[in-house]
Amino acid sequence: MTWQTANVPVPLSKYEAKHFKLEIDGKVATITLNRPERKNPLTFDSYSELGHFFRAAADDEDIKAFVIAGAGGNFSSGGDVFEIIGPLVEMDTAGLMRFTRMTGELVKAMRACPQPIIAAVDGICAGAGAIVAMSSDIRYGTPESKVLFLFNKVGLAGCDMGACAILPRIIGQGRASELLFTGRPLRGEEAERWGFYNRLVPGDAVLAEAQAFARDLADGPTFGNAMTKRMLQMEWAMSVEEAVEAEAVAQALCMTTEDFARAYRAFAAKETPTFEGN
């Protein structure tokens, strides 16, 4: 089993993606899973490239937010049945461990990159596609969408790519257990009611709505946004006392930024602050 290792330059505007579509508009980058004829499945190479891409994002000072979507009315059908699942059946344990660690690296890279990631989910969002949506910071969905954690349907455990750690924190332990034990679809309105989606919008508007929200975040105090994302991640493993102390340090650091001073000056002048991310 081999896959390509991407060399991702910074700034990301110089990068030509091979296994997804990349569009950059100002401070917002949109990643589109772009195999619509197969409902945008992931492959060995796209897993790897996306992981390297999000790792490189930590060093890009120009991109302030990401949107991830799928082409052709679907988000992603998950790992490609013929290009991934078929070869996995033939692998030995060492090869399988190399694969599962590589897929998990994508989740770790998404969580570690400082920029917020907004998923625009329409149609089928299954398996690893559901994990990518889950690993995003914000999720916009449509009434027609179906989210499926399908791992048990192929004889596997639901504990894939961090699902047992992240999904309960989004929708609760009991609801996450139901989805991971059964693989049943979580449909649009239920997904919003359960808290998986932040917002439900029509299919023809979901990408534009996600991009508009990303632009709003990108125009905000992006040093503070990155700190918020980092603390949301770190505080999973902290006691309340440790979290309060960690936030004291984080907030004091944010108070040294020019954006904090800009906000004060704008407030004093009864103006709206213009943040610059420094």
Side-chain angles (χ1 to χ4, degrees):
M1 175 188 58
T2 61
W3 52 78
Q4 296 176 3
T5 299
N7 181 19
V8 182
V10 175
L12 296 175
S13 57
K14 295 182 178 179
Y15 183 59
E16 294 185 8
K18 297 178 177 63
H19 302 286
F20 55 87
K21 183 179 178 182
L22 175 63
E23 298 172 290
I24 296 176
D25 182 9
K27 294 180 283 187
V28 175
T30 299
I31 297 161
T32 303
L33 306 175
N34 195 27
R35 297 178 69 195
E37 72 284 357
R38 301 279 294 278
K39 299 181 181 178
N40 310 313
L42 294 168
T43 66
F44 293 128
D45 290 332
S46 60
Y47 272 123
S48 179
E49 185 177 19
L50 284 164
H52 284 90
F53 180 84
F54 281 114
R55 285 294 183 191
D59 295 320
D60 192 306
E61 297 180 355
D62 299 326
I63 303 301
K64 304 299 184 182
F66 290 100
V67 173
I68 186 163
N74 291 290
F75 189 75
S76 173
S77 56
D80 190 289
V81 172
F82 298 105
E83 294 184 43
I84 288 185
I85 297 179
L88 291 180
V89 174
E90 305 300 325
M91 285 183 197
D92 61 14
T93 301
L96 292 169
M97 283 295 300
R98 183 166 173 253
F99 168 72
T100 54
R101 284 176 172 152
M102 184 265 288
T103 61
E105 174 61 24
L106 171 56
V107 173
K108 290 189 282 187
M110 291 177 70
R111 302 311 312 142
C113 90
Q115 300 93 333
I117 303 169
I118 299 93
V121 180
D122 193 14
I124 295 298
C125 177
I131 296 290
V132 171
M134 176 197 76
S135 302
S136 301
D137 299 290
I138 302 288
R139 287 159 295 278
Y140 279 23
T142 71
E144 297 78 23
S145 65
K146 291 194 294 185
V147 179
L148 304 100
F149 294 87
L150 288 173
F151 309 109
N152 78 315
K153 296 293 188 183
V154 295
L156 298 176
C159 56
D160 198 59
M161 299 171 69
C164 287
I166 300 173
L167 189 61
R169 290 175 166 90
I170 299 172
I171 63 173
Q173 184 80 9
R175 288 168 170 172
S177 298
E178 179 183 338
L179 296 182
L180 297 176
F181 279 133
T182 67
R184 76 160 179 87
L186 180 65
R187 300 178 187 275
E189 292 183 1
E190 184 181 33
E192 184 189 32
R193 189 171 71 250
W194 280 19
F196 188 80
Y197 291 145
N198 295 77
R199 186 172 302 172
L200 208 61
V201 295
D204 59 359
V206 65
L207 178 57
E209 290 278 349
Q211 290 172 325
F213 184 74
R215 285 192 294 271
D216 287 344
L217 292 181
D219 287 336
T222 52
F223 183 92
N225 288 346
M227 186 65 75
T228 299
K229 178 169 179 174
R230 181 171 178 79
M231 298 311 293
L232 281 168
Q233 178 86 346
M234 289 178 61
E235 290 180 35
W236 284 5
M238 294 181 185
S239 68
V240 173
E241 290 77 10
E242 291 169 330
V244 170
E245 178 62 21
E247 290 190 3
V249 175
Q251 199 70 302
L253 182 59
C254 289
M255 290 173 182
T256 68
T257 64
E258 282 299 309
D259 273 348
F260 181 62
R262 288 186 188 100
Y264 169 72
R265 291 193 295 267
F267 178 81
K270 297 183 179 180
E271 298 173 349
T272 301
T274 300
F275 294 114
E276 298 182 17
N278 61 349

